[in-house]
Amino acid sequence: MLGLRGLRLPPAGILLLLPFLPLLLLPAAPAPHRAPYKPVIVVHGLFDSSYSFRHLLEYINETHPGTVVTVLDLFDGRESLRPLWEQVQGFGEAVAPIMAKAPQGVHLICYSQGGLVCRALLSVMDEHNVDSFISLSSPQMGQYGDTDYLKWLFPTSMRSNLYRICYSPWGQEFSICNYWHAWRKNFLRVGRLVLIGGPDDGVITPWQSSFFGFYDANETVLEMEEQPVYLRDSFGLKTLLARGAIVRCPMAGISHTAWHSNRTLYETCIEPWLS
C-alpha cells in the first residue's frame, strides 16, 4: 500500500486502547482527605501539674500526630486544694476558647479530682461540645473514708468522723471535701462517657467509684445500675447507657499515680476514643 512500505503497525490490542489514552495519562486521584483529630484537653488531679502528663502527651502525639493537646496548667500542687467550684470556674474560663475554636468538638481527659472538675464543667457550660469525656480513675460516686491523701491532710481524722470535718464550713474550703456533692444539668450533651479505673488503684475507695459504684449501708459495693442516681436517671447515666454512650474500661495492676503514664492503658482505654 502506497505510503505504508516499511511501516510497522501496532498490535490490534494497542489500537483498541488508543481512545482511552488521555484517561491513562491523567494524574492519580488524590488520597481522600482525613478530617483532623479533635483537640484534646487534659485536666490534672490533686497535687499534680501539667508536667505529670508528659508521657500521655507523648503517646497522643505518636498515635494521633497533629492533634492539638492542651494540658491545663491551673490549680497546680497545693492550689488543687482550692474549693472545687472555684476550680470549675477557672478551668471553665480556660476551656471555653478552646471549644469555641473547635466546632467539630473536643475530647476531655480528666484524671482523679480532675474528673469531678470536668463532670461539673459538663453541667455548667450550656453549649459545651465535648465528644468524649474520659474519666481517668476519678471518684465519680464519691470517696469513702480516709485515703492516703486524706491521712496526710487530716492525720488524726479517720473514717468515723471525717464527714463531720468535711461538712463543716472549714472543711468545705478543701476540694477533697467537695467530693460529696454533685449537681449536673447539661450532662447529656456529651457524646461518650469513658470510665477508667481498677482494683489496684490504692486511693479511690471503693475503686468501683470510678464506675459510679459505691457502698451501701452494709459496706457492700453496689454497681452503677443499682445506684439511686442511676435508677432515677438523676443526671443522665441511665439515658447514656441506653444509647450506648458509656464505656467501662477496668484494668488491674495499675496504681493511682500511674494511670496517665501506662502505655498499655492508653492504647486500650484512651486511644480508641480520640477521634
Side-chain angles (χ1 to χ4, degrees):
M1 184 181 294
L2 185 63
L4 295 180
R5 183 176 300 174
L7 178 65
R8 299 182 59 186
L9 296 176
I14 294 179
L15 289 174
L16 292 174
L17 289 175
L18 286 178
F20 302 99
L21 187 58
L23 296 177
L24 296 176
L25 296 177
L26 289 175
H33 176 69
R34 184 189 61 77
Y37 293 113
K38 296 179 176 69
V40 175
I41 304 171
V42 181
V43 177
H44 66 73
L46 192 65
F47 300 128
D48 284 325
S49 68
S50 58
Y51 181 74
S52 304
F53 295 86
R54 61 194 182 280
H55 298 296
L56 178 61
L57 181 61
E58 175 186 334
Y59 301 156
I60 296 174
N61 287 333
E62 287 181 7
T63 62
H64 289 61
T67 301
V68 177
V69 184
T70 304
V71 183
L72 296 176
D73 200 10
L74 297 171
F75 299 99
D76 295 353
R78 291 177 181 268
E79 286 298 303
S80 63
L81 289 170
R82 300 295 304 165
L84 277 186
W85 284 109
E86 180 181 328
Q87 296 190 45
V88 169
Q89 181 178 2
F91 280 109
E93 293 172 354
V95 304
I98 301 175
M99 292 181 178
K101 295 178 181 178
Q104 77 277 20
V106 302
H107 300 302
L108 286 181
I109 302 177
C110 310
Y111 166 65
S112 194
Q113 177 175 283
L116 301 184
V117 172
C118 290
R119 190 170 148 213
L121 287 175
L122 295 181
S123 66
V124 299
M125 300 186 74
D126 295 334
E127 300 297 328
H128 78 75
N129 58 352
V130 175
D131 184 15
S132 294
F133 167 30
I134 301 174
S135 174
L136 186 57
S137 187
S138 176
Q140 292 293 349
M141 201 61 189
Q143 177 69 32
Y144 183 71
D146 54 326
T147 67
D148 290 339
Y149 287 165
L150 294 176
K151 288 176 181 176
W152 182 82
L153 288 168
F154 309 110
T156 61
S157 301
M158 299 301 286
R159 194 167 293 158
S160 60
N161 60 12
L162 178 61
Y163 76 95
R164 295 188 179 94
I165 294 176
C166 279
Y167 279 117
S168 69
W170 178 80
Q172 285 296 302
E173 292 300 316
F174 291 93
S175 63
I176 291 177
C177 291
N178 300 152
Y179 289 179
W180 281 264
H181 294 278
W183 170 74
R184 309 293 180 260
K185 72 173 183 179
N186 290 329
F187 200 59
L188 289 174
R189 289 181 60 86
V190 70
R192 183 182 298 105
L193 172 62
V194 181
L195 302 172
I196 303 171
D200 301 307
D201 180 274
V203 171
I204 306 301
T205 309
W207 67 269
Q208 292 92 337
S209 180
S210 295
F211 301 92
F212 287 97
F214 205 72
Y215 294 123
D216 64 8
N218 298 317
E219 297 193 8
T220 299
V221 173
L222 300 180
E223 301 298 335
M224 178 183 74
E225 288 86 345
E226 302 174 275
Q227 296 293 336
V229 294
Y230 174 85
L231 296 172
R232 294 193 297 263
D233 205 20
S234 299
F235 54 89
L237 285 177
K238 193 172 184 179
T239 300
L240 285 177
L241 188 64
R243 78 182 193 207
I246 294 182
V247 177
R248 284 175 274 203
C249 193
M251 185 167 289
I254 302 178
S255 64
H256 190 69
T257 57
W259 288 104
H260 43 66
S261 60
N262 187 288
R263 181 65 184 249
T264 301
L265 181 280
Y266 168 77
E267 293 176 346
T268 304
C269 300
I270 297 178
E271 191 272 335
W273 312 113
L274 301 182
S275 58

